[in-house]
Amino acid sequence: MKDKKQLVVSAIKDGTVIDHIPAHDLFKVISILGLDHIENYITFGTNLESKKLGKKAIIKISDVFFRNEDINKIALVAPEAKLNVIKDYKVVEKKVVELPDEIIAIAHCVNPMCITNKENVPTKFQVVDKKKVSLKCHYCEKITDKANLKIN
Amino acid sequence: MKNKSLVSITDYTKEEYLKILDLAAEFEANPVQDILKGFVVATLFFEPSTRTRLSFESAVNRLGGRVIGFSDANTSSATKGETLRDTILTVSNYADLIVMRHPVEGGARFASEISPVPIVNAGDGANQHPSQTLLDLYSIRKTQGTLENIKIFFIGDLKYGRTVHSLVMALSQFNATFYFISPDELKMPDEYKIYLDNLGLKYFEYKEFTDIVGEADIIYMTRVQKERFSDPIEYEKTKNAYVLRAKMLANAKPNMKVLHPLPRVNEVHLDVDSHSSAYYFDQAQNGVYTRQAIISSILGIK
Ligand SMILES: [Zn+2]
């Protein structure tokens, strides 16, 4: 039986498919990966039915293959995301994402008195809890957790 | 520790704490030396803290070094809109070491990453003030003979008190037992209790301390500030419960000492000053020796 998502988001020849993104975090994933600044052919579908996530989104990017350290950043907002690497219409590799130990220049620090919110200083966090997504600011040492997470 | 900035108390290891304290003891024995001759230390105080600034400047002056700097943002270029980045990159041309106090949290860490000369953090907002912690450790070791297995009471504002948080982190390496005494609104934050739990260290939480004073080796007092309370009536009800008076020290151990980061308002009553346990002014004196140790070890002289 053909999956319903195949009907709404067309297949790509070569590139990467990112599936199981929570629908409301789609644009955060786009922003983290900088997909809003590249020229490649990109299609996405959102508000698709998902047993696991309720509503999910899917992104297909032609001719882009991510390095692990880049793609892992999306675990901040889409920890369940699954990647399919496509070559000649076939899935040649499947990947899951894992939050890296450090998050640089992606998330905002929750502390309004933090230097990263006062001057042009890129944020840097140590991931102190990968499961709960708990980030310790390298500068002000305050914790930013998932509920307060704002992406650039 | 040559050229190693001191931004946060966790930047130094237990061995490095002890090295600083040993050096501070040397300076206490011999506080006036000419070892900083030819060195310039900048004290950049973007917000005023007269006590801390004078302590650092006294430390440098007694070692024969020279001090440049400013004592509040009104006399600095910061009021003209200069960024911290530009101030640090400029002043680092004029000095061998920068001591800075800045209201923005993480400002000192950022400065240490862009500055070609080492930075000593003299307070970054509510975050860190590591020289205070080192002088607290020095005062504890000097009065107790050791830093190991100390029973320490922290009284007052344990929620916002950065000196409390840093000292808890430092003493956690010396098997201390902690007594946290505060009103509900100003309790020790969970993250520190979890940290102590993970290390298997003992701590107790109380709302008052009159009956247990006899347990303490050190009583560390902090200010309970009115503006920390969401309910002013709650403040009026609780403020007097966290004032130390001489009569409360009747059952204290003979070795017990009362510390306070100063300035005090009313939380240590004047009648404690003449009690043998009062140590807060000696503690301020120890601050000069400790800062002499910090500066000379970072400059690579000791
Ligand atoms: Zn921060």
Side-chain angles (χ1 to χ4, degrees), chain B residues 43-280:
Chain B
T43 53
L44 309 187
F45 279 62
F46 296 87
E47 65 177 6
S49 174
T50 310
R51 207 168 297 270
T52 302
R53 184 172 57 83
L54 293 181
S55 177
F56 271 107
E57 294 185 355
S58 168
V60 174
N61 281 314
R62 284 185 177 167
L63 296 181
R66 303 301 290 262
V67 176
I68 58 171
F70 49 82
S71 55
D72 68 77
N74 292 330
T75 54
S76 80
S77 46
T79 43
K80 293 180 196 145
E82 188 180 50
T83 60
L84 175 60
R85 180 193 174 83
D86 287 3
T87 307
I88 294 295
L89 290 177
T90 308
V91 173
S92 58
N93 294 308
Y94 311 147
D96 302 294
L97 182 149
I98 295 172
V99 176
M100 65 177 277
R101 187 183 190 99
H102 199 284
V104 170
E105 293 164 24
R109 176 72 64 200
F110 173 62
S112 75
E113 291 175 345
I114 57 163
S115 171
V117 303
I119 301 285
V120 173
N121 182 8
D124 59 326
N127 187 30
Q128 292 281 338
H129 187 15
S131 66
Q132 176 72 46
T133 310
L134 286 164
L135 79 88
D136 291 341
L137 290 178
Y138 185 76
S139 301
I140 295 170
R141 191 176 76 164
K142 190 177 155 192
T143 58
Q144 307 301 313
T146 175
L147 286 172
E148 302 286 342
N149 310 315
I150 295 296
K151 289 185 173 178
I152 182 163
F153 284 34
F154 288 98
I155 298 176
D157 178 359
L158 310 188
K159 186 175 179 185
Y160 300 100
R162 67 177 170 196
T163 54
V164 171
H165 301 160
S166 298
L167 188 53
V168 167
M169 295 300 282
L171 283 174
S172 71
Q173 306 207 34
F174 297 92
N175 195 39
T177 304
F178 301 93
Y179 296 73
F180 299 133
I181 299 133
S182 69
D184 269 339
E185 290 209 38
L186 300 175
K187 277 171 80 169
M188 196 71 185
D190 285 343
E191 56 181 295
Y192 295 97
K193 290 185 265 179
I194 293 166
Y195 178 81
L196 296 177
D197 281 334
N198 289 339
L199 289 174
L201 291 173
K202 274 189 283 184
Y203 61 84
F204 305 97
E205 291 185 282
Y206 295 96
K207 283 190 199 169
E208 57 154 280
F209 60 101
T210 354
D211 296 338
I212 49 171
V213 165
E215 298 278 311
D217 296 313
I218 295 288
I219 291 182
Y220 198 98
M221 296 298 297
T222 65
R223 261 180 302 159
V224 175
Q225 289 165 285
K226 196 174 188 172
E227 58 270 27
R228 300 297 192 197
F229 282 79
S230 45
D231 180 359
I233 298 165
E234 205 53 40
Y235 169 76
E236 293 302 326
K237 277 197 285 190
T238 50
K239 64 176 184 188
N240 292 327
Y242 302 94
V243 173
L244 189 67
R245 303 202 56 145
K247 65 181 180 199
M248 300 161 87
L249 300 175
N251 297 320
K253 291 200 253 181
N255 63 299
M256 195 282 282
K257 295 293 175 205
V258 178
L259 304 187
H260 189 302
L262 302 179
R264 71 173 152 183
V265 182
N266 66 340
E267 59 282 351
V268 180
H269 195 274
L270 286 175
D271 67 12
V272 180
D273 290 7
S274 52
H275 193 279
S276 60
S277 289
Y279 195 72
Y280 23 92

Side-chain angles (χ1 to χ4, degrees), chain A residues 109 111-122 124 132 136-143, chain B residues 7-8 10 82-86 102-107 109-110 113 124-128 191:
Chain A
C109 179
N111 177 8
M113 281 305 288
C114 178
I115 184 78
T116 62
N117 291 318
K118 296 280 185 185
E119 284 195 19
N120 186 15
V121 178
K124 186 169 163 186
K132 284 193 266 178
K136 185 176 185 185
C137 178
H138 168 73
Y139 292 101
C140 74
E141 309 186 22
K142 296 282 178 299
I143 301 284
Chain B
V7 174
S8 171
T10 50
E82 188 180 50
T83 60
L84 175 60
R85 180 193 174 83
D86 287 3
H102 199 284
V104 170
E105 293 164 24
R109 176 72 64 200
F110 173 62
E113 291 175 345
D124 59 326
N127 187 30
Q128 292 281 338
E191 56 181 295

